[in-house]
Amino acid sequence: MSARQDWIAARGTPLHGRLRVPGDKSVSHRAVMLGALAEGVTRVSGFLEGEDTRATARVFERLGVRIDTPSASERIVHGVGLHGLRGSGEALDCGNAGTGMRLLAGALAGQGFDSVLIGDESLSKRPMRRVTEPLAAMGARIDSADGGLPPLRIHGGSALQGIDYTLPVASAQVKSALLLAGLYARGETVVREPHPTRDYTERMLAAFGWPIEFAPGYARLSGGHALRATDVAVPADFSSAAFFLVAASVVPGSELLLEAVGMNPRRTGLLAALRLMGADIREQNPREEGGEPVADLLVRHAPLHGIEVPVALVPDMIDEFPALFVAAACAQGRSTIAGAAELRVKESDRIATMAQGLRNLGAQIDETPDGAIIVGGALRGGTVDSHGDHRIAMSFAVAAQCASGEVRIGDVANVATSFPGFETLARASGLELHPALGLQTASDM
Ligand code: S3P
């Protein structure tokens, strides 16, 4: 019986004001990783103080990298160079982070020492063959638990060879793992994707001075160069802004400004989907910060209607489906989501978890193997379980804004993995959200 945290959420007031959500999770992981493997000192600003990204920083500290925290959201990474990591006698804990574990598998496959990567209960159920198989084809030796699950034991001292690999599913994590292994490999590593995914690893490798050729859906590099430290300014995480984009769209009278949101086109699929549904979201002051496009997003309430979500948008909004399910449940008419089977292997089975929770709130929703059909309408109060999935918990806090009664959201502690301070920001902008009183245990629900 583990102690857990629950929230009580209810319809609040219209969302108002301006806010800046925390730093991008994907960029923060990569900034620490490349900073650690670089020669020289990398200063990271806007670093996400989430449990996932802090776990990655702790792993590198265990591997002998000094990382200073001069102030919150800042890190100074004293790089040790490509061959300067030292093995740790202890297992390296990636926490809840699939990105941490998969990218580390790539970076550690070419080291001279053995490593063991472990994760929490959710991460321990997530598929790792998608990285271990192509890494094995490069010459890595990695043992996993039954079914290709964590923990991963990575044997050091393997000579890696470059690979020309076409990903079977669009995955920035797999692409990035292979590129990081490719830094240590003889010859060329080429990664081809069925649909372009976020290209932060490629952009950041270039910023750290590693020769790399890349275009949407394609990346190519060869081993044998060096990474040179550089400063990284992390943009605000579009995936965290997403909850507020949906909340302000569905609550009448809302007008909210989200400042300096990362607008990498491989991340902003939800914006396109919400606009197709009738959302009123304006991009203001578009600019570049730290080599990434950012903009302030002004979102005003607008009546939403159901849509067939274009399958081509799926990879560009892969983390935003829990929020989109809520938008669809609060919209007029029917929405269809397809081509998103990957949602079943995220921090939870996001199709099943969202379907169950929305059904508990009276929504009409049918699951399909790779998506769902949702008919929007009135939601009522009720109890939902986030299954320890941060994005599910935050999405139901938004769903409660359209519900006629209180929503109890179970198992929300993992919100801190990606969005520390969500509760405070949500309340400040108008949401009614507070911790449920009394300690809950998993057996209570
Ligand atoms: C991420 C890639 C995506 C995304 C995850 C972060 C990354 O995962 O869902 O939250 O930082 O590379 P997949 O590579 O499994 O699609």
Side-chain angles (χ1 to χ4, degrees):
M1 286 206 310
S2 57
R4 59 190 244 159
Q5 287 172 33
D6 293 358
W7 279 335
I8 303 290
R11 189 175 282 178
T13 56
L15 284 84
H16 276 300
R18 50 199 301 150
L19 59 93
R20 185 177 173 132
V21 299
D24 188 278
K25 183 151 71 76
S26 295
V27 176
S28 297
H29 278 297
R30 288 160 171 82
V32 166
M33 292 184 187
L34 295 195
L37 299 176
E39 284 159 23
V41 175
T42 290
R43 183 179 288 269
V44 186
S45 57
F47 180 76
L48 171 65
E49 294 289 356
E51 285 171 7
D52 276 11
T53 42
R54 285 153 77 140
T56 291
R58 264 196 309 275
V59 165
F60 281 96
E61 286 175 328
R62 286 266 159 79
L63 296 172
V65 180
R66 179 174 150 206
I67 302 179
D68 302 330
T69 304
S71 66
S73 308
E74 244 189 296
R75 290 294 184 278
I76 296 175
V77 185
H78 299 261
V80 294
L82 217 55
H83 300 285
L85 298 178
R86 287 194 323 259
S88 161
E90 291 167 49
L92 303 168
D93 190 353
C94 302
N96 190 245
T99 306
M101 184 172 286
R102 294 189 177 126
L103 270 60
L104 275 162
L108 295 177
Q111 304 294 334
F113 52 82
D114 291 0
S115 313
V116 178
L117 297 176
I118 59 171
D120 72 2
E121 196 188 328
S122 150
L123 183 53
S124 300
K125 291 185 200 140
R126 296 184 64 188
M128 291 296 147
R129 276 201 190 117
R130 53 182 63 199
V131 282
T132 56
E133 284 181 357
L135 287 173
M138 295 177 78
R141 285 174 304 136
I142 305 179
D143 304 326
S144 56
D146 286 351
L149 300 179
L152 299 182
R153 174 174 292 277
I154 302 166
H155 299 273
S158 304
L160 302 185
Q161 277 291 337
I163 191 175
D164 187 331
Y165 189 70
T166 301
L167 299 185
V169 284
S171 165
Q173 293 177 355
V174 178
K175 169 178 65 176
S176 302
L178 302 185
L179 293 176
L180 292 175
L183 306 183
Y184 293 89
R186 275 172 51 133
E188 246 178 33
T189 295
V190 181
V191 186
R192 304 171 202 271
E193 305 177 279
H195 187 285
T197 63
R198 62 192 75 188
D199 56 0
Y200 299 122
T201 305
E202 297 91 306
R203 286 170 183 243
M204 213 183 279
L205 282 168
F208 277 78
W210 196 281
I212 177 167
E213 194 189 311
F214 63 99
Y218 174 85
R220 175 202 215 95
L221 56 71
S222 41
H225 305 280
L227 293 168
R228 285 190 310 274
T230 185
D231 292 347
V232 181
V234 182
D237 199 321
F238 183 90
S239 295
S240 296
F243 305 106
F244 292 98
L245 293 178
V246 173
S249 293
V250 299
V251 176
S254 298
E255 178 169 328
L256 186 69
L257 187 78
L258 294 155
E259 293 174 346
V261 180
M263 295 293 287
N264 184 306
R266 299 280 73 84
R267 296 292 300 286
T268 50
L270 178 77
L271 203 53
L274 286 176
R275 283 177 174 152
L276 288 174
M277 296 175 84
D280 177 359
I281 303 172
R282 295 175 198 191
E283 288 162 53
Q284 297 184 334
N285 191 14
R287 55 206 186 268
E288 243 191 39
E289 281 180 14
E292 282 290 328
V294 301
D296 304 324
L297 297 179
L298 178 66
V299 49
R300 293 197 179 100
H301 164 70
L304 300 186
H305 55 81
I307 56 162
E308 201 166 301
V309 178
V311 174
L313 283 180
V314 168
D316 295 346
M317 56 181 291
I318 193 65
D319 292 333
E320 278 58 79
F321 278 96
L324 181 90
F325 273 50
V326 170
C330 300
Q332 280 282 331
R334 172 190 163 107
S335 292
T336 312
I337 296 156
E342 271 295 294
L343 297 177
R344 296 205 179 270
V345 290
K346 292 294 180 188
E347 285 83 329
S348 69
D349 175 341
R350 287 185 170 160
I351 296 175
T353 318
M354 285 307 299
Q356 183 59 55
L358 284 173
R359 232 177 262 127
N360 292 359
L361 303 183
Q364 202 183 318
I365 173 164
D366 288 321
E367 261 186 66
T368 61
D370 64 346
I373 298 161
I374 302 168
V375 181
L379 298 180
R380 56 168 186 257
T383 298
V384 299
D385 192 336
S386 74
H387 290 272
D389 184 328
H390 54 134
R391 299 201 200 285
I392 303 277
M394 292 184 275
S395 296
F396 280 114
V398 176
Q401 306 315 303
C402 313
S404 55
E406 260 185 14
V407 178
R408 183 181 190 112
I409 309 167
D411 202 2
V412 302
N414 274 343
V415 165
T417 61
S418 70
F419 199 156
F422 171 76
E423 245 183 271
T424 311
L425 275 185
R427 270 198 299 272
S429 63
L431 271 65
E432 174 76 43
L433 179 67
H434 54 84
L437 292 178
L439 260 191
Q440 295 297 308
T441 60
S443 60
D444 287 341
M445 296 189 64

